[in-house]
Amino acid sequence: MLELAILGALKEKPMHGYELKKRLSFLLGHLWKISFGSLYPALKRLEAKDAVERAYTVKEKARNRYVYRITPKGEEMFRQLLEETGKSSEITDSDKFSLRLAFFQYMEPELRLWLLEKRRGYLAEKLEEMAGAGKSRYKESDSYRLGLYRHRQELLRSDIRWLDELIEQERKYLLEKERGRGSPRKGEKGGEKLLLDGESLEKATPIQA
Amino acid sequence: MLELAILGALKEKPMHGYELKKRLSFLLGHLWKISFGSLYPALKRLEAKDAVERAYTVKEKARNRYVYRITPKGEEMFRQLLEETGKSSEITDSDKFSLRLAFFQYMEPELRLWLLEKRRGYLAEKLEEMAGAGKSRYKESDSYRLGLYRHRQELLRSDIRWLDELIEQERKYLLEKERGRGSPRKGEKGGEKLLLDGESLEKATPIQA
DNA sequence: TTTCGATATATCATATCGATATATCTTGTC
DNA sequence: GACAAGATATATCGATATGATATATCGAAA
């Protein structure tokens, strides 16, 4: 989960821990509280698995900074993690699903559509469940629980509407692609190149120079 | 967090682990995946703290069932946990906030209003942040991330609207109460008595009879 | 008949959170 | 110029949560 996010962020450019945290917070902050207590251990795990490497150690200013870079092995791992959709929690868990969605640009269109439809089905099922259970809930709930319950349903419906839009877009795209008119969509023109604001890679010394 | 939920559920009636899990899933399932791996340890912690006690051990059918009951100490602890709003995460964390809301009936009206307003303020602040960051995000995001981002904003706005309703209700209630016309609201007529469906406490033998 | 799903309790490895520690650099302010 | 405050940066630790798994019994369907 965190590892997927880290690898996805490091695909953009090499970063050190603090920067990585800021980047991930910016990217996924709305759906996730990323803490150092999990980030650093995760980085170490990834390093042990050769998925990332310590690219540079910048000593000039402030404290040492260890700049991490994704390796080819890491790229491969990213792809696997991203497309690993065997477990149902990949659909069920709203955070996991959103994380994947944030990296949809790296995913096969067919898999994208499949995931979206799976998720839609799951949410629709849940909504139906809730509507069914609603009657028994009426009797035993106070107004607060009832309100919470109704609000959840509303959020669910909003989620479903949103997924419907995404699915429609994806279908349209696939249809056009099949017709051989592979016109690229907004946001994908650059392929995998997602460059950031003015920050260039600062002067750095190779780790074992 | 889990302990608050357990105590709140056991206030209704004594339950054994499996039943407790079903009850909590029914009550809070939409916002939480409760697993045995956390439930049983939590029950043991609570028992060690004398907040719950093993009321009965039913042996008749199937496997042993250990029925837990909340103690006076547990009631006190529940109140403390419920009203413990020092940490900002009690406002920030959407699950924690929702959990508290599910137990609003046990909370002082003034605290209820205060919590709702705090939460509303936090969400409004976040929404503003997002709107501000939106511009820089436009440039570097693909359509999926952008969609995710916009959808989040929509959900935020929906949350705020909902809170506004709750706040208005709470204000009205407090105003009426001040005018000395303490008319009880829907769902509160029964005070703390929240009885469940037909299930009576099954034949059980005291633990050390 | 036996297989499956529900009931019921429990443990384990792994992961995560939140708090805390440490230290330096930058910026503002008196 | 002094000095506090806040951002930068890495790291660890305890408490807790998750997901998987193990065990075992019961009722019902196939």
Side-chain angles (χ1 to χ4, degrees):
Chain A
M1 181 84 181
L2 223 196
E3 301 188 6
L4 176 63
I6 291 174
L7 290 174
L10 287 184
K11 270 177 82 75
E12 296 171 2
K13 72 165 194 179
M15 277 177 271
H16 55 89
Y18 195 79
E19 198 182 359
L20 194 53
K21 199 215 166 201
K22 277 197 300 178
R23 179 75 187 137
L24 286 177
S25 294
F26 179 73
L27 225 57
L28 313 162
H30 23 114
L31 56 100
W32 207 354
K33 51 272 141 178
I34 294 116
S35 71
F36 288 120
S38 44
L39 182 62
Y40 283 113
L43 269 174
K44 275 182 184 163
R45 282 200 304 274
L46 287 172
E47 202 184 357
K49 282 186 263 187
D50 291 322
V52 306
E53 61 185 359
R54 229 172 258 204
Y56 315 101
T57 300
V58 184
K59 252 191 165 147
E60 298 168 48
K61 40 155 66 181
R63 191 167 178 166
N64 277 1
R65 298 190 304 179
Y66 309 111
V67 179
Y68 293 92
R69 185 207 291 153
I70 189 168
T71 66
K73 214 168 173 178
E75 297 269 4
E76 181 48 34
M77 199 175 151
F78 174 77
R79 214 148 308 158
Q80 272 183 21
L81 283 174
L82 190 62
E83 311 211 333
E84 186 180 68
T85 50
K87 279 173 286 182
S88 69
S89 72
E90 314 298 338
I91 299 298
T92 296
D93 189 313
S94 140
D95 285 347
K96 270 190 193 169
F97 182 80
S98 293
L99 178 59
R100 271 202 171 62
L101 213 153
F103 294 120
F104 252 31
Q105 53 171 173
Y106 301 121
M107 202 185 279
E108 293 297 320
E110 287 79 9
L111 186 53
R112 283 201 286 247
L113 186 55
W114 185 83
L115 266 178
L116 289 170
E117 282 171 344
K118 267 271 175 195
R119 173 81 178 161
R120 205 238 177 246
Y122 168 72
L123 292 185
E125 198 183 303
K126 245 186 114 175
L127 185 61
E128 223 172 316
E129 260 177 54
M130 288 184 85
K135 279 154 221 157
S136 59
R137 219 175 286 262
Y138 269 100
K139 290 174 215 147
E140 60 150 307
S141 282
D142 59 287
S143 65
Y144 296 111
R145 286 186 189 168
L146 211 59
L148 188 59
Y149 195 70
R150 292 218 187 102
H151 181 56
R152 289 279 150 181
Q153 284 182 302
E154 205 187 301
L155 293 186
L156 255 185
R157 277 190 289 266
S158 173
D159 262 21
I160 289 175
R161 277 196 304 272
W162 176 54
L163 284 175
D164 281 338
E165 280 174 42
L166 287 175
I167 287 170
E168 202 195 347
Q169 277 174 34
E170 210 63 47
R171 284 226 181 95
K172 238 185 245 170
Y173 172 70
L174 271 173
L175 226 68
E176 275 179 27
K177 217 186 75 181
E178 249 172 55
R179 282 209 209 105
R181 308 208 283 96
S183 60
R185 284 173 300 173
K186 270 176 289 174
E188 280 201 323
K189 290 167 217 156
E192 298 213 345
K193 210 146 116 209
L194 250 195
L195 276 182
L196 298 196
D197 35 336
E199 298 184 289
S200 60
L201 219 57
E202 44 236 296
K203 325 132 221 164
T205 50
I207 190 166
Q208 39 187 1
Chain B
M1 182 82 181
L2 221 197
E3 303 190 4
L4 176 62
I6 291 175
L7 290 174
L10 286 185
K11 270 177 83 73
E12 294 171 2
K13 72 164 193 179
M15 277 178 273
H16 55 90
Y18 194 79
E19 198 182 358
L20 195 52
K21 199 215 167 201
K22 278 196 302 178
R23 178 75 187 136
L24 286 177
S25 294
F26 179 73
L27 226 55
L28 313 161
H30 23 114
L31 55 99
W32 207 354
K33 49 272 144 181
I34 294 117
S35 71
F36 288 120
S38 44
L39 182 63
Y40 283 113
L43 269 174
K44 274 183 184 162
R45 284 199 303 275
L46 287 172
E47 202 183 356
K49 284 186 261 188
D50 290 322
V52 305
E53 61 183 0
R54 229 173 259 204
Y56 313 101
T57 300
V58 184
K59 252 191 166 147
E60 298 168 48
K61 40 154 64 181
R63 191 167 177 166
N64 278 0
R65 298 190 304 179
Y66 310 110
V67 180
Y68 294 93
R69 183 206 293 152
I70 190 168
T71 65
K73 215 169 173 176
E75 297 269 2
E76 180 51 33
M77 199 176 154
F78 174 76
R79 214 148 307 157
Q80 272 181 22
L81 283 174
L82 190 62
E83 311 211 333
E84 185 180 69
T85 51
K87 280 172 283 181
S88 70
S89 73
E90 314 298 339
I91 299 298
T92 296
D93 188 314
S94 138
D95 285 347
K96 271 188 193 172
F97 182 80
S98 292
L99 178 59
R100 271 204 171 59
L101 214 151
F103 293 121
F104 253 29
Q105 51 170 314
Y106 301 121
M107 201 184 279
E108 292 296 321
E110 288 80 8
L111 186 54
R112 283 201 285 248
L113 185 56
W114 184 83
L115 266 177
L116 289 169
E117 282 171 343
K118 267 271 174 193
R119 173 80 179 164
R120 204 234 178 249
Y122 167 72
L123 292 185
E125 199 182 301
K126 245 187 115 176
L127 187 60
E128 225 171 316
E129 261 177 52
M130 287 183 87
K135 279 154 219 155
S136 59
R137 217 174 286 259
Y138 271 101
K139 291 172 215 150
E140 60 151 303
S141 282
D142 60 284
S143 64
Y144 297 110
R145 286 185 190 170
L146 211 59
L148 188 59
Y149 195 70
R150 291 215 187 105
H151 180 57
R152 288 280 150 182
Q153 284 182 302
E154 204 189 299
L155 293 187
L156 257 184
R157 277 190 288 267
S158 172
D159 263 21
I160 290 175
R161 276 196 304 273
W162 177 54
L163 284 175
D164 281 338
E165 280 174 43
L166 287 175
I167 287 170
E168 202 196 345
Q169 276 175 36
E170 210 63 49
R171 284 226 182 94
K172 239 186 245 171
Y173 172 68
L174 272 173
L175 225 69
E176 274 178 28
K177 215 185 77 178
E178 250 172 53
R179 283 210 207 103
R181 309 209 283 98
S183 60
R185 285 174 301 175
K186 270 177 290 176
E188 280 202 322
K189 289 166 219 157
E192 298 212 346
K193 209 143 116 211
L194 248 196
L195 276 183
L196 297 196
D197 35 335
E199 296 186 292
S200 59
L201 219 56
E202 45 236 296
K203 325 131 220 163
T205 51
I207 191 166
Q208 36 188 3

